Amino acid sequence: MLDASVKKYFPIFEHHPNLVYLDNAATTQTPHSVLEAMSEYYTTYRANTERGLYALSEQATTAYTAARQKIAAFLNAAPEEVIFTPGATYGLNLLARSLAVTADHNIVLTRLEHHANLIPWQQLSNRTGCELRFIELNKDGQLDMATAADKIDEQTRLVSCTAVSNAIGTIAPLDEIIALAKSNGAQVIVDASQLIAHSPIDVRTLDYDWLVFSGHKMYGPTGIGILYGKKQLLEQTEPFLFGGEMIEDVNYLTASWAELPHKFEAGTQNIAGAIGLGAAVDFIQKIGLSAIHEHEQSLLRYTIEQLPEYAALIGPPSGAPRGAIVSFLLQGVHPHDTAEILNRFNIAVRAGHHCAKPLMKYLDIPGTARASFGVYNRPEDVDRLIEGLGNVKRILG
């Protein structure tokens, strides 16, 4: 269990000392170090990167480049394989607009996917006529890999899946999925938004082709994220956003693209956001991903042990592997009502379909209430949650 002093890194709790924040799967809070790194850029060396032959611009370029290098090391990637984006959703849409797919191909997703990893592929299917297929779930909310073997074949162009379900906490067996896809010549795209701040990721070990995540889910700022791609795949892929800085040469009728990573970073980037994301990586590494994982899993077990008295667990059963997410339903209570009453006691949870509406329809439920954990959460937060659920039952009779 992490020391309680971790909470002191986060100014939100200075302003809201009684807050129990359990919506980390949606967005995490931001530590002082990230805010200070961004403030330093804005107050002491704000300038555009790459383009100015003067001291402020050179300092901004150095800080921006250093952030990319930190993130690359964090993933065990090369810096030129790390593309700054506005977030995971943007990265997935970039790939859906840039990768070559024809009507003869199929794309395989899972039943777990967030809208951001479903709708771009729906639209690509509509444009090209390619088939969408889905890996099914078993009765325990886990991916049914027998159906994966059936759906992924020689006509599969892409397999795009979440690493951890944001809605019900299911952990995808990425090693099996990637191996199966590669054996059929398909590329794999992984949405690591719910994994990046919770467990180590090494893009070389599992041979990732593409990976996306958002900074605001890993103690960083909003409006910044990462698209990782293998260098050879990035070099083969055409950009879909054009403008300044991504050009090698241009005349009035033709243009050629800059080398990686600039090829995919048209226009002025979110410089402060990138610097803040680099500081977020520093923060996570200072605490240690192994320590974070153990801390959150301890909180997860503690919650699930007490939950059955009040609510039904949705997703993987007690004892099964699960991300730092607990989705649940109180019998006869809409999840929105659960969240609204918990809010009266300064307990922040998520409620609804969690941008995974097809999954909720598939499970035949209206949505869930969801508690999700971060480094600053404590057993006392779980106690407050369980007490709050008792209050929900009491208030609603």
Side-chain angles (χ1 to χ4, degrees):
M1 184 70 65
L2 294 175
D3 191 270
S5 63
V6 170
K7 205 166 190 176
K8 296 178 181 178
Y9 292 122
F10 295 86
I12 190 76
F13 299 112
E14 298 168 13
H15 295 280
H16 303 278
N18 199 38
L19 173 65
V20 174
Y21 186 79
L22 296 172
D23 194 20
N24 296 284
T27 198
T28 50
Q29 297 300 326
T30 314
H32 285 289
S33 59
V34 172
L35 298 170
E36 289 164 359
M38 296 173 68
S39 178
E40 183 182 9
Y41 164 74
Y42 279 124
T43 57
T44 67
Y45 62 98
R46 176 179 166 122
N48 216 322
T49 56
E50 308 290 346
R51 308 170 191 180
L53 298 177
Y54 55 92
L56 292 183
S57 179
E58 290 174 356
Q59 187 176 355
T61 300
T62 297
Y64 184 74
T65 301
R68 193 192 308 274
Q69 291 169 340
K70 289 177 186 177
I71 295 157
F74 190 60
L75 299 174
N76 192 26
E80 62 268 25
E81 296 175 316
V82 172
I83 310 299
F84 285 117
T85 70
T89 298
Y90 183 100
L92 291 164
N93 277 271
L94 184 157
L95 292 174
R97 283 287 178 180
S98 300
L99 298 179
V101 175
T102 71
D104 295 330
H105 292 131
N106 66 70
I107 297 173
V108 177
L109 311 176
T110 80
R111 295 293 181 189
L112 297 169
E113 301 311 319
H114 188 284
H115 297 166
N117 199 32
L118 171 62
I119 298 171
W121 309 116
Q122 285 182 353
Q123 297 305 303
L124 180 57
S125 175
N126 291 340
R127 292 196 305 272
T128 65
C130 70
E131 180 187 2
L132 282 187
R133 298 177 176 180
F134 297 89
I135 300 172
E136 305 292 347
L137 302 180
N138 62 28
K139 63 181 181 180
D140 289 336
Q142 311 277 23
L143 288 175
D144 183 345
M145 291 307 293
T147 68
D150 182 55
K151 300 297 174 69
I152 300 172
D153 60 25
E154 293 181 354
Q155 295 305 114
T156 302
R157 174 76 169 112
L158 301 169
V159 178
S160 190
C161 69
T162 183
V164 178
S165 167
N166 74 299
I168 62 173
T170 300
I171 299 174
L174 292 179
D175 52 349
E176 295 180 54
I177 291 171
I178 291 172
L180 185 58
K182 295 298 178 70
S183 69
N184 284 281
Q187 295 180 28
V188 181
I189 301 163
V190 175
D191 177 0
S193 298
Q194 299 299 334
L195 183 65
I196 190 69
H198 307 281
S199 296
I201 294 176
D202 186 327
V203 295
R204 305 292 186 216
T205 299
L206 285 187
D207 196 24
Y208 289 85
D209 293 315
W210 307 95
L211 180 138
V212 300
F213 60 87
S214 296
H216 70 95
K217 297 182 190 292
M218 55 180 293
Y219 311 103
T222 58
I224 191 73
I226 295 297
L227 165 65
Y228 158 80
K230 283 183 176 176
K231 183 177 180 180
Q232 65 186 60
L233 295 178
L234 286 167
E235 289 175 337
Q236 295 166 7
T237 302
E238 288 295 301
F240 88 106
L241 195 65
F242 306 96
E245 204 56 46
M246 55 83 63
I247 297 298
E248 178 186 66
D249 193 20
V250 60
N251 60 39
Y252 283 112
L253 295 178
T254 62
S256 57
W257 316 139
E259 293 184 355
L260 297 173
H262 305 293
K263 171 182 172 182
F264 292 98
E265 294 181 359
T268 295
Q269 296 298 296
N270 183 355
I271 300 166
I275 293 167
L277 184 55
V281 167
D282 289 340
F283 173 79
I284 289 172
Q285 291 185 316
K286 178 181 177 180
I287 297 175
L289 271 171
S290 295
I292 292 172
H293 179 76
E294 291 175 10
H295 173 77
E296 293 172 344
Q297 288 296 308
S298 177
L299 292 172
L300 187 70
R301 290 190 296 270
Y302 185 50
T303 306
I304 291 174
E305 285 171 4
Q306 300 181 73
L307 199 62
E309 181 180 351
Y310 294 99
L313 185 65
I314 305 299
S318 176
R322 172 187 284 266
I325 291 168
V326 179
S327 255
F328 57 90
L329 283 171
L330 276 68
Q331 185 174 3
V333 181
H334 195 282
H336 288 172
D337 293 328
T338 299
E340 190 279 324
I341 294 172
L342 288 174
N343 179 59
R344 300 179 196 178
F345 299 91
N346 289 317
I347 303 165
V349 300
R350 204 70 164 185
H353 53 67
H354 314 298
C355 294
K357 198 168 187 178
L359 173 61
M360 297 299 151
K361 293 178 180 178
Y362 183 81
L363 297 174
D364 195 25
I365 55 178
T368 71
R370 183 189 71 189
S372 50
F373 301 106
V375 295
Y376 32 69
N377 290 125
R378 304 291 302 160
E380 304 90 270
D381 294 340
V382 177
D383 294 338
R384 289 267 304 278
L385 171 65
I386 298 302
E387 180 184 358
L389 294 179
N391 288 325
V392 174
K393 293 186 71 174
R394 176 181 55 81
I395 290 170
L396 295 179

